[in-house]
Amino acid sequence: HYEHVHDHHTNEDGIMTPSMATRINLPAKLTTDHEGLVARMEVLKVIVSSLTNAAQLDLAWSEYQMYMLPHLFEEEQISLPLLRAFFTPAEAGAIVGKILGAGKPAVLGSFFYWFGSADPNAADTASVTDASIKAATTAFMAQEGIPWFVWHIEFKGYIQAYRDAMVINAAALFRGVPPSTQAPWFGCC
């Protein structure tokens, strides 16, 4: 989570917001919120580094969530509609392309992995299947004009990187057992 949120904020602050600021006067709160969220993430990082019981994390995570979820909601309700209103699909696609080009494999993999969930707010990975990931991602690729072979040379690897970094740990947490260290030979899908 830590890496994903830092990457998200870095992309917003370094790519998305400056691009949008060429045409839109965005509310400052959308970027100034990042400072408080990052500070709360640093508290979580310290707790997680010495975690022996999930209950130790509960209060700090609840506080973090109280700030993060409204922030993400504001982005979805303000930034995305403004992007769609003031940029053509091709222009918005070019901005998103810069973000995808700068992304780390596991972070990009999370994007494609959760495409495969019927409930994007779900925390349990059990509902996400190889078939649902591939179907949703290939639909996205068709919509964005991404050639079919990119699935094989990039996106599958990104999804596997996310599984290796996050999914096996989350699944183990839900099951209450240590994570499996055995990865599938060819990866996902």
Side-chain angles (χ1 to χ4, degrees):
H1 182 80
Y2 184 86
E3 180 180 359
H4 293 83
V5 173
H6 270 295
D7 199 61
H8 173 85
H9 291 159
T10 298
N11 287 329
E12 280 183 351
D13 295 345
I15 299 171
M16 184 64 77
T17 300
S19 297
M20 291 180 72
T22 64
R23 298 184 189 172
I24 304 166
N25 186 13
L26 287 171
K29 184 180 184 306
L30 290 173
T31 54
T32 57
D33 275 0
H34 292 174
E35 294 169 19
L37 289 166
V38 168
R40 284 175 176 80
M41 282 180 42
E42 294 302 325
V43 169
L44 292 172
K45 184 178 180 182
V46 169
I47 293 169
V48 168
S49 70
S50 61
L51 192 66
T52 58
N53 182 313
Q56 296 169 300
L57 186 59
D58 193 41
L59 180 62
W61 185 264
S62 294
E63 181 181 307
Y64 167 72
Q65 204 172 22
M66 282 185 347
Y67 288 90
M68 177 55 93
L69 294 180
H71 174 75
L72 294 174
F73 183 77
E74 286 176 350
E75 288 178 353
E76 290 173 3
Q77 298 301 309
I78 296 170
S79 294
L80 291 179
L82 288 172
L83 178 72
R84 291 180 183 121
F86 287 92
F87 291 82
T88 66
E91 292 168 330
I95 296 168
V96 172
K98 288 181 188 177
I99 290 171
L100 292 175
K104 298 176 182 119
V107 173
L108 293 171
S110 70
F111 177 73
F112 298 114
Y113 181 88
W114 288 106
F115 266 177
S117 174
D119 178 4
N121 296 312
D124 187 354
T125 61
S127 66
V128 181
T129 66
D130 289 348
S132 68
I133 294 169
K134 187 170 184 179
T137 303
T138 54
F140 166 78
M141 292 170 63
Q143 171 190 310
E144 297 301 319
I146 299 169
W148 64 269
F149 59 84
V150 175
W151 167 258
H152 297 283
I153 64 173
E154 288 191 9
F155 294 170
K156 278 174 58 172
Y158 295 161
I159 295 162
Q160 190 61 49
Y162 178 68
R163 281 188 165 148
D164 293 345
M166 296 293 296
V167 174
I168 61 170
N169 295 309
L173 183 63
F174 279 102
R175 288 191 315 265
V177 298
S180 166
T181 56
Q182 182 178 1
W185 173 335
F186 267 128
C188 139
C189 316

